[in-house]
Amino acid sequence: MPLHHTTLGRGAPGLIALHGGLGWDHASLRPWLDPLADHASLTYADLAGCGHSPAPDDWSTVTHATWADDVEALRRHLHAERGGHDPAILFGHSYGGVIALEVARRHPEHVGGLILCGTVSTGTHLAAAAERAFARAEGRTHEVLAAALSGPPQSDAEFAALFPDLLPLYVHDPTAHDLRAYAERMTLRAAPLRRTFYDLLAGYDAREQLHAVGVPTLVLAGRHDWIAPPEESAADFLAGLAGAEGHVFEASGHFPFMEEPDAFVAVVRDWLAAHVPTHASV
């Protein structure tokens, strides 16, 4: 059974959007990516165990490759049903970009391009990221951050209770957004968060594998992103991915699609026009 997904538009190219977290769902990307459906067949997917997609029987067996193969299965399903998804473009936000990179590494013939937004290149940056987060956190947010970093949430309800208090860290101007409403519309899952952030990420390092990823790539970063600042992971991708192009959103943190939505859509639209010629026929 394919991952839970929602598709806007038809035709080519096929653009599959992968949310972050993990443990978040595709609602974290909407409605800000919706305008891209004017330029591609846009599919939002909930990764396995996230949102409304089924969870694996044994989380200890799940790796980045597992999630990547699920995305490839979804791509095959979409291509059979709709056409225009061989190859497909993959958009990955935050940890979704980690999975998108793994899809491109494992199934290169079926990936026509990557858009990496706020994506980390290695778990070795985690210590510095935590220091930046604590430097920004105040009051209740500081308390919740300390609790989250000391150990993973053990239930979906615990994760859902923590998440709204952490969100002010993610954006450059927390007063400009209704962050509690943003959190409440997501179906949050603790198990994939535990498996990724607390199990897999510490040993993750994509930098030595980037030379093997040969597709056009757009690297997007927020100037004020403490998780994946431009001078760290984005710089790694631009140095290691042949032909990669980058853009920094100067008034954004980790969510440039929310914080600078018009500029975000324009940058992605222009990149699609330059690198995916068939988009003009959609």
Side-chain angles (χ1 to χ4, degrees):
M1 178 181 295
L3 300 173
H4 176 82
H5 60 281
T6 299
T7 300
L8 308 179
R10 295 194 66 88
L15 174 61
I16 301 174
L18 306 179
H19 59 82
L22 293 185
W24 304 356
D25 67 11
H26 78 275
S28 63
L29 303 174
R30 299 193 69 183
W32 302 282
L33 269 63
D34 286 7
L36 297 177
D38 294 338
H39 311 280
S41 177
L42 171 63
T43 295
Y44 294 101
D46 288 349
L47 289 162
C50 300
H52 298 287
S53 285
D57 295 330
D58 182 358
W59 277 104
S60 69
T61 66
V62 176
T63 66
H64 295 155
T66 309
W67 275 298
D69 289 348
D70 287 340
V71 173
E72 166 57 15
L74 174 62
R75 183 207 62 78
R76 292 196 303 268
H77 169 80
L78 292 168
H79 187 64
E81 183 180 71
R82 295 172 169 268
H85 287 75
D86 195 8
I89 309 300
L90 301 181
F91 171 92
H93 175 235
S94 195
Y95 218 109
V98 172
I99 306 306
L101 270 171
E102 185 68 6
V103 179
R105 190 183 71 82
R106 291 175 63 81
H107 307 283
E109 68 276 21
H110 300 303
V111 177
L114 293 170
I115 304 171
L116 305 178
C117 179
T119 297
V120 296
S121 60
T122 173
T124 61
H125 292 327
L126 282 176
E131 290 180 6
R132 289 189 293 265
F134 275 118
R136 295 182 54 160
E138 298 178 352
R140 171 67 176 163
T141 299
H142 191 282
E143 296 173 10
V144 172
L145 177 64
L149 292 179
S150 67
Q154 295 303 308
S155 69
D156 296 347
E158 183 183 352
F159 184 22
L162 293 172
F163 191 53
D165 290 313
L166 292 174
L167 275 175
L169 290 173
Y170 286 81
V171 296
H172 178 46
D173 181 6
T175 66
H177 312 280
D178 188 344
L179 296 176
R180 189 159 294 273
Y182 177 71
E184 289 175 351
R185 70 169 184 248
M186 278 187 253
T187 300
L188 298 169
R189 299 288 185 235
L193 176 72
R194 291 195 300 268
R195 183 59 180 155
T196 51
F197 190 81
Y198 295 89
D199 291 345
L200 298 177
L201 187 55
Y204 174 69
D205 196 334
R207 292 173 296 181
E208 294 301 317
Q209 303 169 355
L210 295 179
H211 68 280
V213 179
V215 298
T217 303
L218 177 61
V219 181
L220 305 176
R223 176 64 67 192
H224 308 280
D225 186 358
W226 60 271
I227 299 172
E231 63 272 16
E232 284 188 356
S233 289
D236 290 341
F237 292 134
L238 292 172
L241 291 166
E245 301 174 20
H247 185 89
V248 177
F249 295 91
E250 298 293 339
S252 292
H254 197 52
F255 298 124
F257 47 86
M258 176 199 294
E259 300 175 81
E260 299 180 68
D262 292 340
F264 176 86
V265 169
V267 168
V268 175
R269 180 193 62 223
D270 290 348
W271 182 84
L272 286 171
H275 295 282
V276 191
T278 56
H279 99 278
S281 63
V282 175

